[in-house]
Amino acid sequence: LPGLIDAEVTASGAASGKFDGKMQMTGIILHTQSLDQVKVLKAAGSDPWMLPATPMDEIFSGYGEIQSTKRLRVQGTLTYYIAGSAAVLQNGKLSIWINTRSHADMRIGDWVDATGFADVHDGFLKLANSEIRDSHKFVPVTPIHTTWQDLTGSHNVFDLVSIDAEVVAKVREAGQDEYVLRNEGHLFSAIFRHAVPGVLNNAALPEMKDIPPGARVHLTGICILEDSNPFNVNVPFDILLRSYDDLVVVGDAPWLDVPHLMMVVMVLLLVILIIGIRVVWGERHARRYNAHLAYLERRRGRILEDINNAKPLAEILERITELVSARLNGAPCWCKVADGATLGSCPSEEFLSKLRVIEQEIPGRLSGTLGRMYAGFGTKTKPDIDEGEALKLATGLATLAIETSRIYSDLVHRSEFDLLTDIHNRFSLDRHLDSVIDSARQSAGIFGLLYVDLNDFKLVNDQYGHRTGDLFLQEVALRLKRQLRPGDVLARLGGDEFVVVVLKVHSRADVEVISQRLHRCFDQPLHCEDQEIPGSASIGIAIYPDDGTTKDSLIGAADASMYVAKQSKPRRGGARPSEVVS
């Protein structure tokens, strides 16, 4: 078997599928009866264990595409090992996770060689499909003493570290034991994984080390990150224990524990017994409450991320009502947005009449009331201070979500629409033209572009003032929009210049019909407050692809034809009538 590494072979046997827990096919397995069914076609060109040692932070330079990745060899001290699964090597300040199926006996602290293929999984550099060989030279690594702040910065991923912490809770599972710890006021987990879970072979699990909550411990292990991006700040992390010897109690739990309570019970009898029961219940409730708060805080953090990422408002408000319902032990919670929808688990009218309903206004910091938040309880329940606190949290999040959504929508609108006339601006027109041109190229279609320039608009500003001029432009934009069909787009380039993109046309004549409609919208004077001001415009036409195949060439062609129209007619009575040139 050792001689088969990197050799070219032919194998025969029975093929079967490889499946994950969802019964989805993840690969193929070839079952052979004996090694006689594996024939070597070409021996390996070199001994993989004779490859030059590659620095751990440079192994990715040997990565290839399409199954052409070359084999690499790394060296370091074995700091973590689970037979048939994984190992961790550390060499100075460098460390790496290694995936291996080797079941060889290895000693933690030995200097070992590993050969395999560079891989990146969930954003972390790893060595995959690896073989490991022990040199039997003991070269131990001194753990780096750290704090929660150091480890959450993601700089010690896969390093052997040590940290002092307080035990908050412990959990026994089939595949692993987990201790929830607290350092610097923050929670993290220390995990001891069972090499062979007892569920698989009916073997008894090793006895879990009994450490009471509140005890101070000094633990040593491998730092692993839960986030797929190891470069974020404050990334969740866990500590992998190699054995229970990595968990050392350095400070006893608080004096108020079960043994001491039992001694007091013998003296004070019934009174102390009652106190003891209350204390036990309180500690259990506190652990559950802390875990519940941590769960609620994670959900609140995800809601804030959704608000920051501009997720749909309805989805965010529904998650807020779910957060309140979780905090209030499953009580139905719903939200009524002002002039909007009702979201959340709102009971039916028949069931609602049987509930004690509390509500709280969603205040607007930029405007009036944004809506109301509701929660329903059984009529026999008594009001609790947590009810108001939960709704206060919900209304605060809802205010932030609604106002952030409105600000974002307003910013998007301002970036794409002209503030004076409320039609598309030059930026929006450019994007729309790019899309229309791409669509026309795909379908070999045509479309028209009209360039509209108001005649003698400067005289309007000079004679009536700039405020009246702004009203004049608003009225012009409104009249132009009324002459267009669904799908046509009107944009203001700036000043008194407008562009119309005309879709769904078959010829230049179709575009000229639209231009005549725009021309006729100036037949009647425009009403600006108490003034009646005559207006006219010069209009130029360009057709894609006859007059241009890019947005700049089309706008230039339409502008040129508009200029011809503007110059071809003399002024009449101080104003020039609308003209169209194509």
Side-chain angles (χ1 to χ4, degrees):
L1 285 176
L4 294 180
I5 296 180
D6 286 343
E8 293 183 13
V9 302
T10 177
S12 59
S16 68
K18 188 177 181 181
F19 300 86
D20 63 11
K22 294 184 177 181
M23 294 306 295
Q24 300 174 131
M25 196 170 197
T26 59
I28 293 296
I29 302 175
L30 191 66
H31 303 269
T32 61
Q33 294 292 327
S34 69
L35 289 181
D36 294 335
Q37 293 180 282
V38 180
K39 306 296 183 182
V40 176
L41 299 179
K42 183 179 179 181
S46 61
D47 185 354
W49 301 106
M50 298 303 295
L51 293 172
T54 303
M56 294 180 183
D57 58 344
E58 297 179 8
I59 68 169
F60 203 78
S61 62
Y63 185 85
E65 297 181 355
I66 314 178
Q67 304 298 330
S68 61
T69 307
K70 67 179 183 180
R71 181 182 292 277
L72 303 169
R73 181 169 72 97
V74 297
Q75 295 177 320
T77 297
L78 185 69
T79 57
Y80 184 79
Y81 180 60
I82 295 182
S85 177
V88 176
L89 268 60
Q90 185 165 337
N91 189 344
K93 295 183 179 180
L94 304 178
S95 55
I96 191 170
W97 185 276
I98 295 176
N99 291 331
T100 180
R101 296 188 179 183
S102 173
H103 286 267
D105 290 333
M106 297 283 175
R107 181 176 62 170
I108 300 296
D110 279 0
W111 185 263
V112 301
D113 284 29
T115 176
F117 301 89
D119 191 15
V120 175
H121 183 68
D122 288 340
F124 299 119
L125 189 63
K126 296 185 179 182
L127 200 66
N129 300 319
S130 303
E131 296 285 338
I132 304 178
R133 187 167 68 178
D134 194 341
S135 69
H136 303 291
K137 296 179 181 179
F138 191 62
V139 186
V141 172
T142 302
I144 305 170
H145 190 69
T146 59
T147 63
W148 178 90
Q149 191 63 44
D150 297 331
L151 297 179
T152 193
S154 76
H155 303 300
N156 296 104
V157 60
F158 303 144
D159 287 346
L160 182 64
V161 299
S162 65
I163 185 173
D164 295 323
E166 176 187 348
V167 176
V168 176
K170 59 182 180 179
V171 180
R172 159 54 60 98
E173 300 177 1
Q176 64 183 28
D177 296 335
E178 180 175 355
Y179 296 87
V180 180
L181 306 169
R182 177 165 47 212
N183 177 271
E184 298 180 349
H186 301 279
L187 298 179
F188 66 97
S189 294
I191 297 173
F192 177 66
R193 292 179 176 169
H194 307 146
V196 180
V199 174
L200 299 181
N201 59 1
N202 295 322
L205 295 177
E207 184 177 353
M208 187 176 185
K209 191 168 186 178
D210 186 18
I211 302 178
R216 298 286 302 173
V217 296
H218 178 82
L219 65 146
T220 303
I222 304 300
C223 175
I224 61 172
L225 301 184
E226 299 178 7
D227 198 302
S228 61
N229 182 355
F231 303 106
N232 287 333
V233 177
N234 293 342
V235 178
F237 68 90
D238 295 325
I239 301 296
L240 285 182
L241 303 175
R242 286 88 53 85
S243 69
Y244 284 121
D245 294 336
D246 285 336
L247 201 60
V248 180
V249 178
V250 296
D252 293 334
W255 177 85
L256 191 60
D257 57 14
V258 175
H260 287 92
L261 286 175
M262 293 299 296
M263 294 174 60
V264 176
V265 166
M266 295 173 62
V267 178
L268 301 179
L269 300 177
L270 183 60
V271 175
I272 299 305
L273 178 61
I274 297 175
I275 295 176
I277 293 174
R278 290 177 60 89
V279 170
V280 172
W281 179 88
E283 289 183 351
R284 185 176 182 183
H285 177 74
R287 289 195 295 269
R288 291 181 177 179
Y289 185 70
N290 287 339
H292 184 60
L293 286 183
Y295 167 73
L296 294 177
E297 186 61 25
R298 288 196 297 271
R299 295 190 64 167
R300 176 178 172 274
R302 287 195 290 268
I303 290 173
L304 291 176
E305 289 179 4
D306 291 343
I307 294 174
N308 186 56
N309 295 330
K311 290 292 184 67
L313 178 60
E315 178 182 334
I316 296 174
L317 292 177
E318 287 178 348
R319 290 193 175 185
I320 293 174
T321 61
E322 292 170 0
L323 173 65
V324 177
S325 181
R327 181 164 178 176
L328 297 177
N329 300 320
C333 177
W334 63 97
C335 170
K336 171 64 177 174
V337 181
D339 300 325
T342 299
L343 303 168
S345 55
C346 180
S348 63
E349 290 293 336
E350 178 182 357
F351 186 66
L352 191 61
S353 61
K354 302 178 182 179
L355 294 178
R356 175 176 61 85
V357 178
I358 64 171
E359 61 180 276
Q360 196 167 116
E361 175 186 294
I362 303 175
R365 289 172 290 187
L366 304 179
S367 59
T369 301
L370 303 177
R372 305 193 75 82
M373 190 72 63
Y374 301 87
F377 306 90
T379 54
K380 296 182 179 180
T381 60
K382 296 181 179 180
D384 191 334
I385 190 173
D386 285 344
E387 298 173 2
E389 292 294 330
L391 283 191
K392 184 178 180 181
L393 169 66
T395 56
L397 289 173
T399 297
L400 179 61
I402 294 172
E403 292 190 341
T404 301
S405 176
R406 291 179 178 179
I407 291 173
Y408 177 78
S409 299
D410 182 64
L411 289 175
V412 171
H413 184 83
R414 287 172 179 267
S415 68
E416 296 186 350
F417 287 84
D418 180 58
L419 297 181
L420 177 63
T421 59
D422 199 34
I423 61 176
H424 292 274
N425 57 20
R426 178 62 181 264
F427 170 75
S428 179
L429 174 66
D430 287 345
R431 291 201 314 170
H432 182 68
L433 276 177
D434 288 335
S435 175
V436 171
I437 290 173
D438 288 342
S439 178
R441 286 175 179 167
Q442 292 290 335
S443 62
I446 67 172
F447 66 88
L449 188 142
L450 302 174
Y451 197 106
V452 181
D453 182 80
L454 303 183
N455 295 326
D456 299 321
F457 175 68
K458 184 176 182 300
L459 297 179
V460 176
N461 279 334
D462 293 343
Q463 183 174 352
Y464 300 100
H466 287 281
R467 170 172 169 74
T468 301
D470 290 344
L471 297 175
F472 182 86
L473 289 175
Q474 292 174 349
E475 181 66 20
V476 168
L478 183 59
R479 289 194 181 187
L480 292 177
K481 286 171 63 175
R482 290 172 177 171
Q483 305 305 317
L484 301 180
R485 308 164 302 169
D488 297 340
V489 173
L490 173 65
R492 182 187 178 201
L493 294 184
D496 60 346
E497 297 177 335
F498 299 84
V499 167
V500 179
V501 180
V502 182
L503 304 177
K504 298 180 182 179
V505 297
H506 302 286
S507 64
R508 187 180 296 269
D510 293 343
V511 182
E512 290 176 347
V513 170
I514 302 298
S515 68
Q516 291 300 325
R517 290 169 60 178
L518 298 180
H519 162 69
R520 287 194 298 273
C521 78
F522 291 95
D523 290 346
Q524 299 297 324
L526 289 90
H527 299 278
C528 303
E529 291 186 334
D530 298 332
Q531 307 290 338
E532 288 191 356
I533 306 173
S536 64
S538 298
I539 304 177
I541 295 178
I543 302 296
Y544 174 91
D546 297 344
D547 299 320
T549 58
T550 66
K551 61 185 177 185
D552 291 334
S553 62
L554 285 170
I555 292 176
D559 184 22
S561 67
M562 178 278 299
Y563 183 76
V564 173
K566 186 179 286 290
Q567 298 299 321
S568 63
K569 294 294 183 179
R571 295 177 180 272
R572 294 184 295 183
R576 181 177 295 113
S578 301
E579 294 298 337
V580 180
V581 173
S582 58

